[in-house]
């Protein structure tokens, strides 16, 4: 088991990317549809810095298709696909959690991609019945302002976050509205639940973490700004967003906890009954191609599930252990656990 402290300054010359904040909802038609083209409709919560690139390159490689992109929040996409089940409008759902995709699978809203697309992603990253595919992995880990803390002074594991020396040095994204933080806190509670079949020890840990937490940031942008202002030195967040901020000049570094990092999967699916099944397969095949995934790894700091021929330096240097969880147990209990944290722990540590 290895731990990694990764200072992004060594990579800053490689890329300069825009902030990856999810755009507001809107339908993007691009240029007018040409004769002979068919439309591929994509619903996605992914940020425009990613979707703009992929859509442009896909249309250049496949002039027979025109992409119509609807940008919504991840849960809004899930709700819309469900609402349209009698008359599906989307061909591709790009960006969502396993819980969202599995829920849609259970309702019969999704259908597998063609064999060529399915073969691009290892079987362990296929959803139930191959109805959806994980496109990327996101590590949830400890991040810090390296202008405030030396790497040797950063907590080495989750348990270290509650040590007295870190009191008021931690800033955390508010948990209730955040899928990332819900995932992290549920994974930490599960570590104790797996031993005792009770979440109580996990609650006790989170209460001590709350006591060390200076404040809860309202949203990711607030979190990044306040860390840069040195209101606190430490946080818990995903590697993709932290490295994206570092690429823009923020003094942020990441550290993978020694016992492991919870891993979130972000996926895509073909909507059952969508107007352009062939176009859906073409878009997914392009998205999962070596060229596209290599660009996303280098410029968007994604950890691809599909194999790529050449990894960017930051990914080649990244070593990590996955924090073990039982996704079924978490799916069944996460809502209860987080509600308990809201009602009994937040700001009460």
């Amino acid at each position: 088991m290895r731990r990694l402290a990764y200072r992004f300054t060594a990579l800053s010359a490689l890329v300069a990317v825009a902030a990856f904040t999810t755009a507001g909802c809107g339908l993007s038609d691009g240029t007018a549809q040409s004769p002979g083209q068919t439309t591929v409709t994509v619903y996605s919560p992914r940020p425009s810095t990613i979707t703009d690139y992929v859509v442009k390159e896909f249309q250049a490689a496949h002039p027979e298709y025109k992409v119509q992109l609807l940008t919504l929040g991840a849960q809004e996409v899930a709700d819309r696909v469900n609402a349209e089940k009698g008359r599906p409008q989307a061909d591709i759902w790009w960006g969502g959690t396993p819980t969202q995709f599995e829920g849609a699978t259970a309702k019969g809203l999704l259908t597998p991609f063609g064999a060529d697309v399915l073969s691009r992603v290892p079987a362990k990253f296929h959803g139930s019945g191959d109805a959806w595919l994980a496109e990327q992995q996101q590590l949830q880990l400890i991040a810090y302002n390296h202008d405030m803390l030396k790497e040797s002074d950063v907590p080495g594991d989750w348990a270290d976050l509650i040590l007295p020396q870190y009191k008021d040095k931690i800033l955390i994204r508010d948990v209730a509205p955040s899928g990332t933080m819900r995932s992290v806190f549920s994974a930490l509670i599960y570590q104790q639940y797996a031993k005792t079949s009770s979440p109580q020890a996990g609650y006790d840990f989170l209460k001590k973490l709350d006591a060390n937490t200076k404040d809860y940031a309202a949203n990711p942008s607030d979190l990044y700004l306040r860390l840069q202002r040195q209101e606190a030195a430490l946080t818990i967040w995903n590697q993709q967003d932290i490295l994206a901020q570092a690429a823009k000049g923020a003094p942020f570094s990441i550290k993978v906890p020694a016992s492991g990092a919870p891993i979130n999967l972000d996926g895509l699916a073909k909507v059952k009954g969508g107007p352009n099944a062939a176009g859906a397969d073409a878009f997914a095949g392009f998205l999962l191609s070596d060229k596209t995934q290599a660009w996303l790894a280098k410029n968007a700091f994604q950890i691809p599930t599909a194999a790529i021929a050449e990894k960017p330096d930051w990914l080649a240097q990244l070593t990590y252990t996955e924090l073990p969880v039982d996704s079924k147990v978490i799916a069944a209990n996460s809502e209860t656990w987080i509600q308990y944290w809201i009602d009994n722990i937040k700001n009460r540590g």
Side-chain angles (χ1 to χ4, degrees), residues 336-346 348:
T336 299
W337 292 346
I338 299 303
Q339 192 60 51
Y340 183 92
W341 179 86
I342 294 169
D343 295 338
N344 300 281
I345 297 176
K346 182 182 178 182
R348 295 176 176 85

Side-chain angles (χ1 to χ4, degrees), residues 138-150:
Q138 285 186 335
L139 304 184
Q140 319 305 316
L141 35 68
I142 296 170
Y144 61 102
N145 184 322
H146 55 241
D147 286 347
M148 297 180 70
L149 282 181
K150 296 183 298 184

Side-chain angles (χ1 to χ4, degrees), residues 231-256:
E231 292 184 27
L234 294 163
T235 192
I236 299 168
W237 201 240
N238 69 73
Q239 109 287 332
Q240 183 178 20
D241 289 348
I242 292 297
L243 295 185
Q245 292 298 312
K248 295 165 58 189
F252 296 166
S253 296
I254 60 174
K255 190 165 189 175
V256 179

Side-chain angles (χ1 to χ4, degrees), residues 31 85 99 105 145 158 165 172 241 256 277 317 322:
T31 58
K85 60 186 176 183
T99 298
T105 300
N145 184 322
W158 299 109
Q165 62 261 40
I172 292 179
D241 289 348
V256 179
Q317 296 176 33
E322 181 175 1

Side-chain angles (χ1 to χ4, degrees), residues 115-179:
D116 288 347
V117 176
L118 295 176
S119 66
R120 183 74 182 120
V121 175
K124 67 179 180 178
F125 296 119
H126 290 211
S128 299
D130 295 330
W132 63 277
L133 302 173
E135 182 207 356
Q136 64 162 315
Q137 304 177 77
Q138 285 186 335
L139 304 184
Q140 319 305 316
L141 35 68
I142 296 170
Y144 61 102
N145 184 322
H146 55 241
D147 286 347
M148 297 180 70
L149 282 181
K150 296 183 298 184
E151 186 279 327
S152 59
D153 293 330
V154 176
D157 208 350
W158 299 109
D160 297 335
L161 288 168
I162 64 175
L163 294 176
Q165 62 261 40
Y166 299 117
K167 184 172 179 60
D168 291 333
K169 292 184 178 181
I170 302 171
L171 186 66
I172 292 179
R173 163 75 166 101
D174 194 14
V175 176
S178 170

Side-chain angles (χ1 to χ4, degrees), residues 41-307:
T41 300
V42 179
Y43 290 177
S44 179
R46 304 300 299 281
S48 61
T49 46
I50 290 174
T51 58
D52 287 353
Y53 171 82
V54 173
V55 167
K56 178 182 177 181
E57 294 298 312
F58 170 72
Q59 290 182 146
H62 293 273
E64 69 273 27
Y65 295 116
K66 172 184 171 293
V67 174
Q68 181 170 259
L69 175 68
L70 181 63
T71 303
L72 298 165
Q75 189 56 48
E76 290 176 307
V77 174
D79 293 342
R80 184 163 181 142
V81 169
N82 184 53
E84 294 174 349
K85 60 186 176 183
R87 189 183 176 191
Q89 301 297 303
D91 301 300
I92 287 280
W93 171 0
W94 175 24
T97 66
T99 298
Q100 290 165 336
F101 284 122
E102 287 294 329
T105 300
K107 296 175 182 177
L109 303 178
L110 310 177
T111 190
F113 291 107
D116 288 347
V117 176
L118 295 176
S119 66
R120 183 74 182 120
V121 175
K124 67 179 180 178
F125 296 119
H126 290 211
S128 299
D130 295 330
W132 63 277
L133 302 173
E135 182 207 356
Q136 64 162 315
Q137 304 177 77
Q138 285 186 335
L139 304 184
Q140 319 305 316
L141 35 68
I142 296 170
Y144 61 102
N145 184 322
H146 55 241
D147 286 347
M148 297 180 70
L149 282 181
K150 296 183 298 184
E151 186 279 327
S152 59
D153 293 330
V154 176
D157 208 350
W158 299 109
D160 297 335
L161 288 168
I162 64 175
L163 294 176
Q165 62 261 40
Y166 299 117
K167 184 172 179 60
D168 291 333
K169 292 184 178 181
I170 302 171
L171 186 66
I172 292 179
R173 163 75 166 101
D174 194 14
V175 176
S178 170
T180 294
M181 290 311 306
R182 281 174 173 264
S183 174
V184 173
F185 275 26
S186 294
L188 295 177
I189 292 171
Y190 173 78
Q191 302 310 304
Q192 304 303 321
Y193 182 91
K195 300 173 184 177
T196 65
S197 298
S198 168
Q200 188 57 53
Y203 293 155
D204 293 342
F205 171 80
L206 292 182
K207 189 169 184 178
K208 293 175 182 177
L209 178 59
D210 179 79
N212 271 7
T213 300
K214 185 172 184 179
D215 200 5
Y216 295 93
N219 53 57
S221 295
D222 184 44
L223 176 68
Y224 309 145
L225 180 62
R226 295 171 71 179
L227 286 173
Q228 288 189 72
R229 288 177 175 173
Q230 301 192 2
E231 292 184 27
L234 294 163
T235 192
I236 299 168
W237 201 240
N238 69 73
Q239 109 287 332
Q240 183 178 20
D241 289 348
I242 292 297
L243 295 185
Q245 292 298 312
K248 295 165 58 189
F252 296 166
S253 296
I254 60 174
K255 190 165 189 175
V256 179
S259 60
I263 295 179
N264 285 350
L265 298 178
D266 193 275
L268 74 156
K270 180 163 66 172
V271 178
K272 186 176 183 179
N276 196 338
D281 278 347
F283 184 88
F286 179 83
L287 175 62
L288 294 169
S289 68
D290 183 89
K291 179 181 178 181
T292 304
Q293 289 297 306
W295 186 93
L296 291 169
K298 180 179 180 180
N299 296 281
F301 306 100
Q302 290 191 183
I303 302 176
T305 57

